[in-house]
Amino acid sequence: MTSASTNTSPDEIPSLYGPGKNVKRVRTRHLIEAKERGEKWAMLTSYDMYTAALFDEAGIPALLVGDSAANNVYGYETTLQVSLDELVPLVAAVARSTERTLVVADMPFGSYEAGPAQALETAVRFMKAGAHAVKLEGGRRMAEQIRALTNAGIPVMAHIGFTPQSEHAVGGYRVQGRDAQAAEVEADAHAVADAGAFAVVLEMVTASVAAEITKQLPIPTIGIGAGPDTDAQVLVWQDMAGLRRGRPQRFVKRYAEVADVLQNAAKDFADEVRAGEFPTKAHSFE
Ligand SMILES: Nc1nc(=O)c2c([nH]1)NC[C@@H]1CN(c3ccc(C(=O)N[C@@H](CCC(=O)O)C(=O)O)cc3)CN21
Ligand SMILES: CC(C)C(=O)C(=O)O
Ligand SMILES: [Mg+2]
């Protein structure tokens, strides 16, 4: 994609691939090197061409095609309902629309739990669609899958702490790592790093446990509701940009009110059509 849609030159972007870095395509090693330099970075979700191109041009070094497409694209109640067939075309669209960002495909519920062979089959579909890495939920219990994918040349981002796909086993949306549970989350973090994961998402983990894990692991930690001390942060873009209405989760900060902008545009359009003000001669053909 060209930069026609923004006026930001790639050279001005203060990021992993900013001035002097000249990184053509962000690789997993760049994210690991950023940790070594103490450079923090941001990941966003993306599920379509325009957001992918805009976030790529904005210097976001990693984009996640999340299974959160379930409730942010497809209108399902939870992530449990979205299928691999529904996610593959979104991964392909994001991959086609970006030049430099690392595209991570989130493996949906039911597409990897059966074992390494199933996980490999799923990951291969995503890589053929254009992904550069895959993500899966689970710590110690997914070590075999992480190792199998890594051995096949597929970078794996792990996801521990609160794992939405296991909502029903976990007993709801609950903060992980309090009290005695801290040791469990830490054991998961070490297990995924030892199994070969290049990064790990920590979701709704207490800030102190996330900080401790971040200090101990050689790979970057990416927090969502995990406090300020992880190496990176991730948010669902519709939450971050205020496209999703309603009370945001505690861990969300809204950086725009896109819902208002978009709805006002729709209202203005409809008002002008009703009033006979649109289209004018300028929008018409002789
Ligand atoms: N739009 C969206 N944002 C997300 O962050 C997100 C998704 N969708 N879908 C997949 C998962 C589900 N996630 C979620 C969704 C809701 C809460 C939530 O309601 N949290 C409340 C209560 C936490 C508590 O019980 O203490 C909060 O206020 O943070 C948390 C994680 C994170 N992911
Ligand atoms: C919230 C992030 C980490 C995620 O897994 C998703 O968007 O599906
Ligand atoms: Mg997910």
PDB file of all heavy atoms in Angstrom, residues 174-190:
ATOM      1  N   ARG A 174     -12.283 -13.017  34.958  1.00  0.00           N
ATOM      2  CA  ARG A 174     -11.698 -12.775  36.272  1.00  0.00           C
ATOM      3  C   ARG A 174     -10.207 -12.491  36.181  1.00  0.00           C
ATOM      4  O   ARG A 174      -9.489 -13.106  35.396  1.00  0.00           O
ATOM      5  CB  ARG A 174     -11.923 -13.991  37.179  1.00  0.00           C
ATOM      6  CG  ARG A 174     -13.400 -14.330  37.329  1.00  0.00           C
ATOM      7  CD  ARG A 174     -13.596 -15.616  38.095  1.00  0.00           C
ATOM      8  NE  ARG A 174     -13.084 -15.513  39.471  1.00  0.00           N
ATOM      9  CZ  ARG A 174     -13.013 -16.557  40.291  1.00  0.00           C
ATOM     10  NH1 ARG A 174     -13.365 -17.755  39.884  1.00  0.00           N
ATOM     11  NH2 ARG A 174     -12.563 -16.388  41.522  1.00  0.00           N
ATOM     12  N   VAL A 175      -9.774 -11.568  37.000  1.00  0.00           N
ATOM     13  CA  VAL A 175      -8.356 -11.230  37.099  1.00  0.00           C
ATOM     14  C   VAL A 175      -7.588 -12.451  37.581  1.00  0.00           C
ATOM     15  O   VAL A 175      -8.047 -13.180  38.469  1.00  0.00           O
ATOM     16  CB  VAL A 175      -8.157 -10.037  38.064  1.00  0.00           C
ATOM     17  CG1 VAL A 175      -6.676  -9.770  38.290  1.00  0.00           C
ATOM     18  CG2 VAL A 175      -8.849  -8.794  37.521  1.00  0.00           C
ATOM     19  N   GLN A 176      -6.434 -12.695  36.965  1.00  0.00           N
ATOM     20  CA  GLN A 176      -5.620 -13.868  37.300  1.00  0.00           C
ATOM     21  C   GLN A 176      -4.342 -13.425  38.009  1.00  0.00           C
ATOM     22  O   GLN A 176      -3.832 -12.344  37.754  1.00  0.00           O
ATOM     23  CB  GLN A 176      -5.251 -14.618  36.019  1.00  0.00           C
ATOM     24  CG  GLN A 176      -6.440 -14.988  35.149  1.00  0.00           C
ATOM     25  CD  GLN A 176      -7.318 -16.060  35.757  1.00  0.00           C
ATOM     26  OE1 GLN A 176      -6.862 -17.142  36.092  1.00  0.00           O
ATOM     27  NE2 GLN A 176      -8.605 -15.736  35.933  1.00  0.00           N
ATOM     28  N   GLY A 177      -3.867 -14.291  38.882  1.00  0.00           N
ATOM     29  CA  GLY A 177      -2.556 -14.048  39.502  1.00  0.00           C
ATOM     30  C   GLY A 177      -2.607 -13.510  40.910  1.00  0.00           C
ATOM     31  O   GLY A 177      -1.567 -13.172  41.481  1.00  0.00           O
ATOM     32  N   ARG A 178      -3.831 -13.421  41.482  1.00  0.00           N
ATOM     33  CA  ARG A 178      -3.915 -12.942  42.870  1.00  0.00           C
ATOM     34  C   ARG A 178      -3.488 -14.057  43.825  1.00  0.00           C
ATOM     35  O   ARG A 178      -3.833 -15.216  43.629  1.00  0.00           O
ATOM     36  CB  ARG A 178      -5.339 -12.496  43.186  1.00  0.00           C
ATOM     37  CG  ARG A 178      -5.732 -11.234  42.416  1.00  0.00           C
ATOM     38  CD  ARG A 178      -6.718 -10.359  43.214  1.00  0.00           C
ATOM     39  NE  ARG A 178      -6.860  -9.066  42.570  1.00  0.00           N
ATOM     40  CZ  ARG A 178      -7.977  -8.664  41.931  1.00  0.00           C
ATOM     41  NH1 ARG A 178      -9.043  -9.437  41.910  1.00  0.00           N
ATOM     42  NH2 ARG A 178      -8.018  -7.482  41.350  1.00  0.00           N
ATOM     43  N   ASP A 179      -2.756 -13.694  44.850  1.00  0.00           N
ATOM     44  CA  ASP A 179      -2.380 -14.601  45.945  1.00  0.00           C
ATOM     45  C   ASP A 179      -1.681 -15.865  45.433  1.00  0.00           C
ATOM     46  O   ASP A 179      -0.740 -15.774  44.667  1.00  0.00           O
ATOM     47  CB  ASP A 179      -3.621 -14.943  46.796  1.00  0.00           C
ATOM     48  CG  ASP A 179      -4.350 -13.664  47.249  1.00  0.00           C
ATOM     49  OD1 ASP A 179      -3.654 -12.708  47.616  1.00  0.00           O
ATOM     50  OD2 ASP A 179      -5.594 -13.642  47.189  1.00  0.00           O
ATOM     51  N   ALA A 180      -2.227 -17.015  45.797  1.00  0.00           N
ATOM     52  CA  ALA A 180      -1.563 -18.284  45.474  1.00  0.00           C
ATOM     53  C   ALA A 180      -1.503 -18.530  43.973  1.00  0.00           C
ATOM     54  O   ALA A 180      -0.661 -19.290  43.486  1.00  0.00           O
ATOM     55  CB  ALA A 180      -2.288 -19.434  46.164  1.00  0.00           C
ATOM     56  N   GLN A 181      -2.415 -17.888  43.228  1.00  0.00           N
ATOM     57  CA  GLN A 181      -2.474 -18.089  41.783  1.00  0.00           C
ATOM     58  C   GLN A 181      -1.279 -17.465  41.053  1.00  0.00           C
ATOM     59  O   GLN A 181      -1.025 -17.803  39.893  1.00  0.00           O
ATOM     60  CB  GLN A 181      -3.774 -17.478  41.259  1.00  0.00           C
ATOM     61  CG  GLN A 181      -4.419 -18.265  40.153  1.00  0.00           C
ATOM     62  CD  GLN A 181      -5.604 -17.508  39.596  1.00  0.00           C
ATOM     63  OE1 GLN A 181      -5.648 -16.282  39.659  1.00  0.00           O
ATOM     64  NE2 GLN A 181      -6.559 -18.230  39.060  1.00  0.00           N
ATOM     65  N   ALA A 182      -0.566 -16.593  41.705  1.00  0.00           N
ATOM     66  CA  ALA A 182       0.586 -15.933  41.074  1.00  0.00           C
ATOM     67  C   ALA A 182       1.567 -16.973  40.542  1.00  0.00           C
ATOM     68  O   ALA A 182       2.075 -16.857  39.421  1.00  0.00           O
ATOM     69  CB  ALA A 182       1.265 -15.006  42.069  1.00  0.00           C
ATOM     70  N   ALA A 183       1.815 -18.001  41.327  1.00  0.00           N
ATOM     71  CA  ALA A 183       2.777 -19.041  40.937  1.00  0.00           C
ATOM     72  C   ALA A 183       2.309 -19.786  39.688  1.00  0.00           C
ATOM     73  O   ALA A 183       3.129 -20.214  38.862  1.00  0.00           O
ATOM     74  CB  ALA A 183       2.997 -20.014  42.091  1.00  0.00           C
ATOM     75  N   GLU A 184       0.993 -19.947  39.557  1.00  0.00           N
ATOM     76  CA  GLU A 184       0.431 -20.638  38.385  1.00  0.00           C
ATOM     77  C   GLU A 184       0.696 -19.824  37.120  1.00  0.00           C
ATOM     78  O   GLU A 184       1.137 -20.359  36.099  1.00  0.00           O
ATOM     79  CB  GLU A 184      -1.090 -20.801  38.539  1.00  0.00           C
ATOM     80  CG  GLU A 184      -1.535 -21.570  39.766  1.00  0.00           C
ATOM     81  CD  GLU A 184      -1.324 -23.064  39.608  1.00  0.00           C
ATOM     82  OE1 GLU A 184      -1.764 -23.593  38.567  1.00  0.00           O
ATOM     83  OE2 GLU A 184      -0.709 -23.676  40.494  1.00  0.00           O
ATOM     84  N   VAL A 185       0.416 -18.533  37.187  1.00  0.00           N
ATOM     85  CA  VAL A 185       0.610 -17.679  36.017  1.00  0.00           C
ATOM     86  C   VAL A 185       2.098 -17.621  35.656  1.00  0.00           C
ATOM     87  O   VAL A 185       2.467 -17.673  34.475  1.00  0.00           O
ATOM     88  CB  VAL A 185       0.028 -16.264  36.252  1.00  0.00           C
ATOM     89  CG1 VAL A 185       0.195 -15.398  35.009  1.00  0.00           C
ATOM     90  CG2 VAL A 185      -1.441 -16.340  36.638  1.00  0.00           C
ATOM     91  N   GLU A 186       2.943 -17.539  36.666  1.00  0.00           N
ATOM     92  CA  GLU A 186       4.394 -17.501  36.412  1.00  0.00           C
ATOM     93  C   GLU A 186       4.880 -18.801  35.786  1.00  0.00           C
ATOM     94  O   GLU A 186       5.710 -18.797  34.874  1.00  0.00           O
ATOM     95  CB  GLU A 186       5.149 -17.179  37.710  1.00  0.00           C
ATOM     96  CG  GLU A 186       5.015 -15.704  38.078  1.00  0.00           C
ATOM     97  CD  GLU A 186       5.607 -15.348  39.437  1.00  0.00           C
ATOM     98  OE1 GLU A 186       6.420 -16.130  39.970  1.00  0.00           O
ATOM     99  OE2 GLU A 186       5.244 -14.270  39.966  1.00  0.00           O
ATOM    100  N   ALA A 187       4.333 -19.921  36.239  1.00  0.00           N
ATOM    101  CA  ALA A 187       4.717 -21.218  35.655  1.00  0.00           C
ATOM    102  C   ALA A 187       4.293 -21.277  34.191  1.00  0.00           C
ATOM    103  O   ALA A 187       5.032 -21.790  33.336  1.00  0.00           O
ATOM    104  CB  ALA A 187       4.084 -22.361  36.449  1.00  0.00           C
ATOM    105  N   ASP A 188       3.114 -20.741  33.875  1.00  0.00           N
ATOM    106  CA  ASP A 188       2.657 -20.697  32.480  1.00  0.00           C
ATOM    107  C   ASP A 188       3.592 -19.840  31.635  1.00  0.00           C
ATOM    108  O   ASP A 188       3.932 -20.198  30.504  1.00  0.00           O
ATOM    109  CB  ASP A 188       1.230 -20.143  32.403  1.00  0.00           C
ATOM    110  CG  ASP A 188       0.177 -21.193  32.758  1.00  0.00           C
ATOM    111  OD1 ASP A 188       0.470 -22.391  32.631  1.00  0.00           O
ATOM    112  OD2 ASP A 188      -0.936 -20.792  33.158  1.00  0.00           O
ATOM    113  N   ALA A 189       3.998 -18.707  32.171  1.00  0.00           N
ATOM    114  CA  ALA A 189       4.882 -17.792  31.435  1.00  0.00           C
ATOM    115  C   ALA A 189       6.208 -18.476  31.097  1.00  0.00           C
ATOM    116  O   ALA A 189       6.670 -18.409  29.949  1.00  0.00           O
ATOM    117  CB  ALA A 189       5.124 -16.526  32.257  1.00  0.00           C
ATOM    118  N   HIS A 190       6.787 -19.141  32.069  1.00  0.00           N
ATOM    119  CA  HIS A 190       8.055 -19.834  31.817  1.00  0.00           C
ATOM    120  C   HIS A 190       7.867 -20.982  30.835  1.00  0.00           C
ATOM    121  O   HIS A 190       8.715 -21.222  29.972  1.00  0.00           O
ATOM    122  CB  HIS A 190       8.663 -20.316  33.134  1.00  0.00           C
ATOM    123  CG  HIS A 190       9.293 -19.197  33.914  1.00  0.00           C
ATOM    124  ND1 HIS A 190      10.539 -18.693  33.602  1.00  0.00           N
ATOM    125  CD2 HIS A 190       8.828 -18.468  34.951  1.00  0.00           C
ATOM    126  CE1 HIS A 190      10.817 -17.695  34.435  1.00  0.00           C
ATOM    127  NE2 HIS A 190       9.796 -17.534  35.259  1.00  0.00           N
TER     128      HIS A 190
END
